């Protein structure tokens, strides 16, 4: 059992409140995942300035980054360090650090412990932007570590959060490795993220990538997948993992429980529905 929240803003006037609203949503699903938490935020000018490459790292610090790369702009957020630099250069300078997100316009923040405390240590309430996804984790398939926390971001600006488990993840991991795909963990959710990223890299759009995932993956899952211009939801064939979507003229939101949606402005006027099994829902900027 894990908790998923996501918010895609249509109304620019709400962008200064993105982090505040996402933090409030995350706080409503703590009981679903008390082990660890993570968020991905799109469009914050401090964390991910327009036109700059952004890398989120584990296993390093602002001080270390600034020592090996003088003049670099870096921020510490709990276990995560966000750096404005090219990912290849950082990988060469900090080979011991783990890349958990890269690209333009998106920053990924992860940590272990109580999700409310983590949101505070991330400074989430002060974040601005146009889209955010969050996850609270109850570990079932791998250890409780920052690396095992969601979102899994394995393609530029691409993030996946997952509630459930993939029964055949080992088989698909072997297939992807045979095609040159590398993995960072034994987490089953990473397999889903790598599969989607691989399909996108081969030219599929997000809707097609998620339809292919439904064809290949066995198990129980609700997925929220975000990219630099999209926000998508899909559930497995029997839809046993909870999910609700709320939509207004100002925003689209998804959460594992209604109470996480109830904190949003204008929820009383929202169209609220439960996603159908194996139907891919995509909203684009």
């Amino acid at each position: 059992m894990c908790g998923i929240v996501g918010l895609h803003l249509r109304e620019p006037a709400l962008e200064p409140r993105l982090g505040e609203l996402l933090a409030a949503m995350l706080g409503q699903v703590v009981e679903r995942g008390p082990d660890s938490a993570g968020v991905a935020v799109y469009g914050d000018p401090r964390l991910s300035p327009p036109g700059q490459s952004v890398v989120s790292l584990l296993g390093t610090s602002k001080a270390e980054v600034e020592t090996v790369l003088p003049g670099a702009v870096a921020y510490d957020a709990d276990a995560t360090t966000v750096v404005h630099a090219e990912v290849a250069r950082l990988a060469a300078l900090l080979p011991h650090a783990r890349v958990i997100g890269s690209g333009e316009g998106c920053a990924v923040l992860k940590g272990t412990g109580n999700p409310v405390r983590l949101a505070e240590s991330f400074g989430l309430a002060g974040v601005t932007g146009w889209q955010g996804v969050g996850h609270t984790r109850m570990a079932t398939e791998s250890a409780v570590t920052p690396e095992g926390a969601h979102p899994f971001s394995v393609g530029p600006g691409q993030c996946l959060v997952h509630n459930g488990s993939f029964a055949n993840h080992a088989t698909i991991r072997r297939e992807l490795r045979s095609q040159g795909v590398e993995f960072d963990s034994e987490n089953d959710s990473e397999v889903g993220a790598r599969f989607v990223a691989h399909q996108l890299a081969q030219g599929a759009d997000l809707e097609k990538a998620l339809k292919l995932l439904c064809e290949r993956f066995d198990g129980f899952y609700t997925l929220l997948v975000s990219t630099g211009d999209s926000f998508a939801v899909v559930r497995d064939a029997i839809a046993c993992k909870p999910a609700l979507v709320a939509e207004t003229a100002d925003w689209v939101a998804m959460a594992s429980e209604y109470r996480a949606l109830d904190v949003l402005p204008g929820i009383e006027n929202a169209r609220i529905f439960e996603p159908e099994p194996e139907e891919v829902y995509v909203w684009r900027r």
Side-chain angles (χ1 to χ4, degrees), residues 169-183 191 194-195 198 202 216:
H169 64 92
T171 298
I172 298 175
R173 185 192 302 270
R174 287 193 295 270
E175 293 173 359
L176 290 172
R177 278 180 169 155
S178 73
Q179 298 175 62
V181 177
E182 298 181 357
F183 287 81
V191 180
R194 295 282 178 189
F195 181 89
H198 186 59
Q202 291 185 315
R216 288 290 294 114

Side-chain angles (χ1 to χ4, degrees), residues 19-282:
E20 168 205 339
L21 296 172
L22 194 64
M25 295 177 74
L26 199 71
Q28 295 299 316
V29 292
V30 170
E31 293 84 356
R32 299 191 63 86
D35 298 338
S36 54
V39 297
V41 291
Y42 293 76
D44 182 87
R46 183 180 73 95
L47 291 175
S48 52
Q52 292 193 29
S53 295
V54 178
V55 184
S56 296
L57 298 167
L58 296 176
T60 187
S61 65
K62 170 182 167 68
E64 184 178 36
V65 168
E66 292 176 347
T67 297
V68 302
L69 190 60
V73 176
Y75 301 95
D76 283 333
D78 201 82
T80 306
T81 301
V82 178
V83 188
H84 302 163
E86 295 291 338
V87 64
R89 189 176 188 191
L90 284 173
L93 292 170
L94 299 165
H96 58 281
R98 174 73 58 82
V99 176
I100 59 168
S102 65
E104 292 187 9
C106 176
V108 177
L109 312 174
K110 297 186 183 186
T112 57
N114 182 275
V116 171
R117 182 197 66 79
L118 286 170
E120 293 173 353
S121 68
F122 296 157
L124 183 57
V127 166
T128 67
W130 62 273
Q131 181 169 274
V133 300
H135 187 271
T136 62
R137 183 174 183 232
M138 182 176 287
T140 58
E141 294 288 340
S142 59
V144 179
T145 63
E147 290 87 349
H150 301 215
F152 279 94
S153 179
V154 298
Q158 301 164 17
C159 294
L160 176 147
V161 293
H162 173 206
N163 177 22
S165 61
F166 295 129
N168 61 338
H169 64 92
T171 298
I172 298 175
R173 185 192 302 270
R174 287 193 295 270
E175 293 173 359
L176 290 172
R177 278 180 169 155
S178 73
Q179 298 175 62
V181 177
E182 298 181 357
F183 287 81
D184 294 329
S185 74
E186 294 304 310
N187 192 296
D188 66 322
S189 303
E190 185 188 356
V191 180
R194 295 282 178 189
F195 181 89
V196 171
H198 186 59
Q199 299 303 322
L200 293 175
Q202 291 185 315
D205 62 16
L206 187 55
E207 183 175 14
K208 178 63 174 177
L210 291 175
K211 286 182 177 178
L212 290 170
L213 182 146
C214 291
E215 292 175 7
R216 288 290 294 114
F217 281 71
D218 296 327
F220 308 121
Y221 54 86
T222 289
L223 301 176
L224 173 58
V225 181
S226 58
T227 70
D229 67 357
S230 302
F231 183 88
V233 176
V234 69
R235 304 169 81 192
D236 65 78
I238 63 173
C240 73
K241 294 298 180 181
L244 288 171
V245 172
E247 184 173 10
T248 73
D250 293 339
W251 48 260
V252 179
M254 178 267 175
S256 298
E257 297 187 20
Y258 174 78
R259 58 181 173 161
L261 301 172
D262 195 42
V263 302
L264 297 174
I267 185 63
E268 64 277 6
N269 299 316
R271 180 176 78 96
I272 300 173
F273 63 94
E274 187 174 347
E276 294 294 329
E278 292 193 324
E279 183 170 343
V280 178
Y281 299 81
V282 182

